[in-house]
Structures are given as C-alpha cells and as structure tokens.
Amino acid sequence: MNAYFKSSSYLSLILLFVLAGCGDDSSTNTGQTDPPDVPEAIPAEINKSVFENNNPVGEEFALFNEAAILAQTASAQINGGTALGQSYLEFTRSRDADFQDGTWTWSFSSNENGVDVSVRTTAEQLQDGFQWNIFISGTFNGESVAEFQFLSGFISENGNSGNWRYFSPNSSDQPILEYQWDVISETESSFTSIFRDTDGSINQQIEYVRNGADNTLEYTGFSSNDLVLYWNSETKAGYIDREGEDRRCWDESFAETACS
C-alpha cells in the first residue's frame, strides 16, 4: 500500500479526534430544509462470512485458507485507506450544519498534543445527488496545510452509488485512492478501489462484485500475478484463478479438488 496510508502520523489523526471530541461545534442549521444524510466511507463491503466463520486445519485446506487471507487482506487494505475519511464523516454526522448559498457546511476542530486540525465538510446538491468535499487546515500527516481538499466525491441522493477520491498534499491534482460503488440490494453490490502512487500511476486495484451468493474479487498489482478469487457463500465452494497458472478449486468441505 502507498506509504501515505501506512504513516503513523496519518493514523494518529484518527486518535486525535477520538480523544478530543473534535472541539466545540458552533455551527447551526439555518437552512429552510434538512441537510442531506452524511454518506458512508465504505457503503459496499466484501462479504467475508465464509472465511470468517470457518478455519479448517490440514494441507488439503491450504487453498481455502489462502483465499481467506486474500479476501481479508483486500478488506483491510480498503478499511485502512479510508479510515481517516470514515472518521471525519462520522464526526460530521454528529454535528449540526449551516446552510448558505446552496451549500451545507459542517465545521469542527481540535487542538491536542500541540497539533491543530480544523475540518470543514461541505455538500452541494446537484442533479441526482450531492457533491461532497472535506477540507483540512492545520497539521495533516506531519505537514502544514490550509484548506487542503482531502476527500471529494459525488454521491447519489440515497447513497447507494457514488465515488470517493482521497488526496495527498504531495499530489493534490491526482487522487491517491479512488473508491467507487453501486449497491442494488442487500445481496447485490459492487465496488472498485484504486490505489495510486503520488505520480498518478496505479499501484494496486481491487474490484469486487456480489450477486446473491456469488462473490468475485479481482486483484491487480498485489503480487507478481494478478488473480481472480471466486466463492459461493451458500455452497462455500470456490476457486483462485491466478494469471499464468491453472485454476485451483475447493469444494463444499473447503478441501482442494479438481476444477470441473
């Protein structure tokens, strides 16, 4: 993963806001209508129940256990990359909004351990949805910033589809993380997550589709061979299709088996 998401100073910002409670909230709802619901950072997630609830031991289960690690790693990559965005959105959700000139604004700040951070979240209604932005002033990831646009996205009015784009002060023109999703129902959803280096080149990419019991997870850039991971959450069978290699399958008992 990009070093930006691994840095301790980045993660410490989350703890900073948890401990500080984001300071005083002085904004009020002065608009004529209610503000939009604050969206989630990760509306579509990987259905990992098969891997979390089963842990077979033995050489014949090695493929299934490898698949479990792949699915859990993909989920951890996305959760880690979007953690600060999720934290800021949660605090936004707990604050009142001010409405002016067609834009809703939530503001909060903190000063803990000598670190000053001010966050401003905005939502502007456009056709079929809202344009969301999060701006940061103060110290961000060890750097001094002013009105730095950390997070941006266009989200449908019901929140079931949209995209988030995360930026770094070192690469403000090109997002270092993009997350795009579409939720049709509780059992039908998809997302694409792209991790970029600061020069804009794609470092890693995750694509996931859930269609009822069928789950398909595609990896690009995580190893020397790109791969497709498939599993059925009802039969519990699945396979790993790694580029340049033969497909390998496991059956309903999680044991590796010949692919049909």
Side-chain angles (χ1 to χ4, degrees), residues 1-2 5 73-82 175-179 192-197 200-206 220 222:
M1 179 181 292
N2 191 292
F5 293 114
T73 298
S75 181
Q77 290 273 20
I78 296 169
N79 286 334
T82 60
I176 58 173
L177 170 60
E178 296 177 74
Y179 171 83
T192 298
S193 183
I194 301 174
F195 296 86
R196 297 181 183 273
D197 288 326
S201 61
I202 295 178
N203 185 19
Q204 301 167 342
Q205 181 168 317
I206 301 170
T220 303
F222 279 78

Side-chain angles (χ1 to χ4, degrees), residues 115-134:
V115 178
D116 292 308
V117 180
S118 297
V119 181
R120 183 170 65 89
T121 302
T122 64
E124 179 184 1
Q125 186 163 21
L126 304 176
Q127 185 175 5
D128 301 325
F130 288 86
Q131 175 65 41
W132 290 83
N133 294 290
I134 292 182

Side-chain angles (χ1 to χ4, degrees), residues 27 34 38 47 177 190 197 200 227 233 253:
S27 62
D34 293 331
V38 178
N47 176 21
L177 170 60
S190 64
D197 288 326
L227 62 86
S233 55
S253 68

Side-chain angles (χ1 to χ4, degrees), residues 226-242:
D226 298 336
L227 62 86
V228 175
L229 171 62
Y230 166 83
W231 68 97
N232 186 292
S233 55
E234 292 181 357
T235 67
K236 303 179 182 179
Y239 63 77
I240 297 177
D241 197 347
R242 187 174 272 108

Side-chain angles (χ1 to χ4, degrees), residues 19-38:
L19 294 176
C22 290
D24 295 331
D25 172 33
S26 58
S27 62
T28 58
N29 183 349
T30 60
Q32 300 299 312
T33 61
D34 293 331
D37 292 334
V38 178

Side-chain angles (χ1 to χ4, degrees), residues 120-191:
R120 183 170 65 89
T121 302
T122 64
E124 179 184 1
Q125 186 163 21
L126 304 176
Q127 185 175 5
D128 301 325
F130 288 86
Q131 175 65 41
W132 290 83
N133 294 290
I134 292 182
F135 301 92
I136 298 176
S137 297
T139 303
F140 180 84
N141 204 32
E143 297 188 37
S144 179
V145 295
E147 282 292 287
F148 160 58
Q149 186 181 42
F150 164 63
L151 184 60
S152 177
F154 178 78
I155 319 297
S156 64
E157 290 192 24
N158 60 12
N160 287 344
S161 62
N163 65 83
W164 285 123
R165 305 169 80 223
Y166 291 75
F167 296 88
S168 165
N170 296 325
S171 179
S172 58
D173 296 330
Q174 177 67 56
I176 58 173
L177 170 60
E178 296 177 74
Y179 171 83
Q180 181 174 338
W181 73 91
D182 186 23
V183 176
I184 299 174
S185 68
E186 291 185 359
T187 59
E188 293 181 88
S189 61
S190 64
F191 71 75

